[in-house]
Amino acid sequence: MKVIHSIAELRQALGSSPRGFVPTMGNLHEGHLSLVRQAKESMNGGPVVASIFVNRLQFAPHEDFDTYPRTLERDCALLEGAGCDFVFAPSEAELYPEPQGYKVTPPTELADILEGHFRPGFFTGVCTVVHKLFNIVQPTLAAFGKKDYQQLMVIRRMVAQMALPVQIIGGETTRSELGLALSSRNGYLSEAERAEALRLSRTLKAMIARWQGGERDVAAIEAAALQALRDAGWAPDYMVLRRQRDLGEPVEGAPLVVLGAARLGTTRLIDNLEL
Ligand code: PAF
């Protein structure tokens, strides 16, 4: 596995062979590694590039950009074990040599709801860096985790609307034995919080149970979930039942998904489950 820091060197090393791509912000866990394995398999063993770049553009000023864990050496060892061929780990000066004035702004109906509502500008930051990384890596296929459900949807739409020649694959969420969705931010949790963190997926499951039990008052289902988390000391941003296709209001017969985001102590966790 080669670790490359410059765009020019990456382009030279990759040549013209088709490649798969897994963009990350590092501090990797099993969820990222399963995306690398999935990309490798989908490329029939062809080369896979993983990028590691903590993208300032997608962090609000009060968020954890400065403290986000940078663990390059450990990440590279894990990536090598997962069969990754190239790691692209640019510095900020390499990726943003001048302030990134050109940006990719996704449509409000998809990007200003849920995560985008609570993290204004987040999806513009994500789309801008992903579009730029696609231009640099020029992958035929790229893998993103379903844990960031809305992000995956926003990127799929960008690729479709911009006619980018890349196939997007979505990897299932990897969970701990007890059901906690793996996330780089889980590292911020204390031991007690780690156990409590399971309440987020349990509350999403309770929402599903009410819907599948025949209840159709979506506002009541969502309000009960918010209250359950508040009662346990959480500060939830949203707990919602939506259509899988476009995250619109649920309609009978359409495949649905429950999504939630909530702060436990100082750590913001997100999760979702498809019905
Ligand atoms: O999901 C992430 O880790 C990031 O949002 C991504 C896609 C690597 C863009 O910085």
Side-chain angles (χ1 to χ4, degrees):
M1 187 183 77
K2 272 190 102 170
V3 182
I4 295 175
H5 301 282
S6 89
I7 297 172
E9 206 188 315
L10 182 73
R11 286 198 165 132
Q12 198 178 9
L14 289 175
S16 59
S17 52
R19 52 264 192 172
F21 181 39
V22 181
T24 83
M25 298 205 301
N27 193 26
L28 304 181
H29 51 69
E30 185 50 38
H32 297 109
L33 303 181
S34 80
L35 291 178
V36 170
R37 286 188 212 104
Q38 211 177 320
K40 190 83 189 161
E41 209 175 295
S42 305
M43 294 300 296
N44 294 317
V48 168
V49 182
S51 64
I52 295 179
F53 181 68
V54 184
N55 173 38
R56 185 188 290 275
L57 287 189
Q58 70 193 72
F59 287 79
H62 66 278
E63 290 182 340
D64 53 347
F65 175 78
D66 289 328
T67 52
Y68 200 88
R70 272 90 168 160
T71 52
L72 183 62
E73 222 171 287
R74 179 181 168 275
D75 291 344
C76 287
L78 290 172
L79 286 169
E80 184 149 34
C84 184
D85 301 276
F86 298 94
V87 176
F88 177 51
S91 65
E92 216 174 348
E94 179 70 8
L95 209 64
Y96 298 134
E98 55 186 79
Q100 184 72 27
Y102 288 87
K103 297 205 172 123
V104 180
T105 308
T108 57
E109 70 275 13
L110 197 57
D112 291 353
I113 59 169
L114 305 177
E115 279 304 284
H117 176 77
F118 288 95
R119 305 183 67 189
F122 171 69
F123 287 117
T124 296
V126 168
C127 285
T128 303
V129 80
V130 169
H131 196 285
K132 190 159 185 172
L133 287 168
F134 282 176
N135 286 333
I136 293 166
V137 177
Q138 302 194 359
T140 48
L141 171 151
F144 294 84
K146 276 197 192 177
K147 195 195 131 245
D148 295 290
Y149 202 85
Q150 193 177 357
Q151 169 174 278
L152 174 60
M153 189 166 287
V154 166
I155 286 167
R156 278 193 198 283
R157 284 270 195 95
M158 172 180 80
V159 164
Q161 276 201 13
M162 298 293 202
L164 303 180
V166 53
Q167 181 198 341
I168 302 298
I169 55 177
E172 294 303 326
T173 301
T174 308
R175 294 179 183 276
S176 72
E177 229 167 86
L178 292 173
L180 178 63
L182 297 194
S183 161
S184 301
R185 289 190 169 97
N186 290 350
Y188 297 151
L189 299 170
S190 68
E191 210 171 306
E193 285 175 334
R194 233 184 129 73
E196 173 60 25
L198 295 169
R199 192 182 300 277
L200 183 57
S201 60
R202 279 211 307 266
T203 309
L204 290 170
K205 280 189 195 140
M207 295 173 76
I208 294 178
R210 285 176 73 153
W211 177 268
Q212 289 181 336
E215 186 169 347
R216 288 298 176 266
D217 185 343
V218 173
I221 294 174
E222 295 179 352
L226 290 169
Q227 196 55 49
L229 287 177
R230 283 193 193 110
D231 288 347
W234 293 60
D237 280 345
Y238 59 84
M239 295 292 283
V240 296
L241 181 65
R242 295 290 168 98
R243 270 200 305 249
Q244 284 181 24
R245 187 167 57 82
D246 56 3
L247 300 181
E249 299 299 321
V251 287
E252 205 64 48
L256 303 180
V257 56
V258 283
L259 307 106
R263 211 170 296 275
L264 175 58
T266 54
T267 308
R268 187 172 183 278
L269 300 176
I270 64 170
D271 200 357
N272 65 81
L273 293 167
E274 290 179 329
L275 279 74

